[in-house]
Amino acid sequence: MVQDSAQQAPSVTPATPARDLLPSILPAVAAGVMCGLLLVGVEVAAEQLQHVLWRTVPDALGIGRYSVAWMFVMLVATGFAVGLVVWKVPGHAGPDPATLGLDAPVLPPVVLPGLVLATGLMLAGGPSLGPENPIIAVNVGLAVWLGARAVPRAPGRIWPVLAEAATIGALFGTPVAAALVISEALAGQQTRGLLWDNLFAPLTAAAAGSLTATLLDRTSFDLDLPDFGQPAWGDLAAAVVVASLGALLALCAVYAFPYVHGAFRKLRHPMLMLPAGGVVLGGLAAAGGHLTLFKGLDEIATLAHDPEGWSAGEFAVMTVVKLAALLVAASCGFRGGRIFPAVFVGTALGLGAHALVSGVHPSVGVSAAVLGVLMAITRQGWVSLFVAAVLVASPGIIALLCVASLPAWLLVTGRPQMQLRPDGTPVR
């Protein structure tokens, strides 16, 4: 009887004592501040270079800033510049970017300067990629290298986790995003202690990183779309349909990814692959217009500022062109991440749904489409929900997104991701 009671007693996960958590605060804060500073430094430098390349120079030459000719010249020139960095700079700007996700490998220090330079040139030059993957990789490499020297007794495995959390917090301006990503990663691992014990140090780093980035560069994801009140049945139906359409559309790019990547790899040399990608991106920019350039965060604010300013057909063109530009830029060797341009794809798709069917509220269309597109491209459920929700500052949208995420997830789960293994096969 006693034995049966013991066997039936619930297992209790032992908590980590506070004295074991306190020593992690200072390294986490240091990592967070460093990662936030590097992210802001790269983005500010890229913005200044972008201003010169896309305003000062064409104005001095008497050429339209976003004329077809100048967009084509700039994208091809960016391909040559990044190709030269990948070819000649020590470390070759890191591994094939198609193989990188948010969980970055630990790169040796010699690789990091070239990766930073290639990322800054890409951000300024106009290809449709964001800074997230390469900046996370740089911060992880720096944190491991500096951490091993500053705190040699600390476990080496703690630095990549702190750097990833800090960079994600800085990218999205809140530690919540990092907590969601780390929680999702921990779900597939064996850990000791309670969930919040394992999140304590990463969350501290993410808070320090997000505060650093926010204080230095106040970036907001809120698109200031028309107010959305209480959800109705029509809103729920629209969210489910649009999220599913977004997932299906993005899956087209996901399935095409290994083939497009393989086609560029046949060129074999970065001075051929990247300029060739620039040529294709120049043609896409001519078809989609200048709003389909760059990582997309400023551009979605332009779209959301005037949801009625474009027709459904124009939104459809921008959606398809941006998705194709993301596919090409990620395949030909430009160093960058896929989340931010995917947000543009979803925003354009959602506003297009509103333009086509006026009953689809702009906030519902945008958030649901972004949710579906991100789920297909990143396979990060929590991040997809988080980004979709923060674009629309309305509590009523969250319940709709939670429901819409279910059919969207059924469509994407078990499918390939927009990330490849070193041998070129897709990650599932």
Side-chain angles (χ1 to χ4, degrees):
M1 219 31 207
V2 174
Q3 184 177 1
D4 290 344
S5 299
Q7 290 176 349
Q8 294 174 6
S11 60
V12 178
T13 302
T16 304
R19 64 177 178 273
D20 292 340
L21 297 177
L22 287 173
S24 67
I25 294 178
L26 188 57
V29 170
V33 172
M34 181 201 74
C35 293
L37 287 174
L38 192 139
L39 171 65
V40 172
V42 171
E43 289 198 323
V44 169
E47 287 172 5
Q48 294 301 314
L49 181 58
Q50 177 184 330
H51 183 88
V52 171
L53 296 176
W54 292 91
R55 295 186 181 184
T56 305
V57 174
D59 287 352
L61 296 175
I63 302 173
R65 293 178 177 177
Y66 294 109
S67 64
V68 171
W70 189 248
M71 289 191 295
F72 192 86
V73 166
M74 281 306 310
L75 287 162
V76 175
T78 302
F80 275 109
V82 176
L84 190 61
V85 172
V86 175
W87 180 28
K88 289 295 187 182
V89 173
H92 306 290
D96 183 350
T99 65
L100 295 181
L102 294 180
D103 51 341
V106 179
L107 301 176
V110 69
V111 176
L112 306 184
L115 183 53
V116 170
L117 180 58
T119 303
L121 290 171
M122 181 279 299
L123 291 172
S128 295
L129 293 173
E132 58 274 18
N133 291 4
I135 295 299
I136 289 175
V138 171
N139 280 336
V140 166
L142 272 178
V144 170
W145 184 66
L146 294 174
R149 284 153 180 78
V151 192
R153 294 184 179 180
R157 65 182 181 275
I158 192 175
W159 299 112
V161 176
L162 294 180
E164 287 183 14
T167 310
I168 293 171
L171 281 163
F172 294 102
T174 170
V176 175
L180 294 174
V181 172
I182 299 298
S183 297
E184 198 161 3
L186 289 175
Q189 302 177 7
Q190 288 187 347
T191 58
R192 291 190 298 177
L194 300 174
L195 173 63
W196 278 94
D197 292 335
N198 290 278
L199 284 178
F200 183 82
L203 195 56
T204 302
S210 63
L211 286 173
T212 301
T214 302
L215 291 173
L216 295 175
D217 185 19
R218 298 180 180 275
T219 300
S220 174
F221 280 78
D222 183 7
L223 296 181
D224 197 25
L225 287 164
D227 291 337
F228 175 73
Q230 293 296 321
W233 288 110
D235 297 319
L236 178 60
V240 169
V241 171
V242 173
S244 300
L245 287 175
L248 290 172
L249 178 64
L251 279 176
C252 295
V254 170
Y255 275 103
F257 190 39
Y259 300 101
V260 178
H261 178 267
F264 279 108
R265 283 291 165 265
K266 290 180 180 178
L267 298 176
R268 295 184 178 276
H269 199 283
M271 290 301 291
L272 295 176
M273 292 186 296
L274 284 149
V279 170
V280 178
L281 292 175
L284 290 170
H290 73 277
L291 288 178
T292 59
L293 296 171
F294 306 108
K295 66 180 180 182
L297 193 57
D298 293 334
E299 289 70 27
I300 62 172
T302 300
L303 294 181
H305 182 70
D306 185 15
E308 315 296 335
W310 292 268
S311 67
E314 290 171 322
F315 279 123
V317 169
M318 286 190 282
T319 300
V320 173
V321 167
K322 187 68 172 183
L323 187 59
L326 164 59
L327 175 61
V328 171
S331 299
C332 70
F334 283 111
R335 270 53 180 170
R338 300 173 277 277
I339 290 179
F340 288 98
V343 172
F344 180 99
V345 173
T347 301
L349 176 63
L351 291 176
H354 165 69
L356 185 65
V357 181
S358 60
V360 177
H361 194 283
S363 296
V364 174
V366 167
S367 58
V370 167
L371 172 69
V373 171
L374 282 179
M375 275 192 162
I377 288 179
T378 69
R379 211 56 47 80
Q380 295 271 351
W382 282 121
V383 169
S384 302
L385 272 168
F386 169 79
V387 174
V390 297
L391 293 175
V392 180
S394 173
I397 208 76
I398 296 176
L400 295 181
L401 293 178
C402 289
V403 176
S405 69
L406 302 178
W409 185 256
L410 289 176
L411 290 171
V412 304
T413 187
R415 310 286 182 182
Q417 299 181 35
M418 201 170 190
Q419 183 179 345
L420 303 178
R421 296 186 178 91
D423 63 0
T425 58
V427 175
R428 290 182 179 269

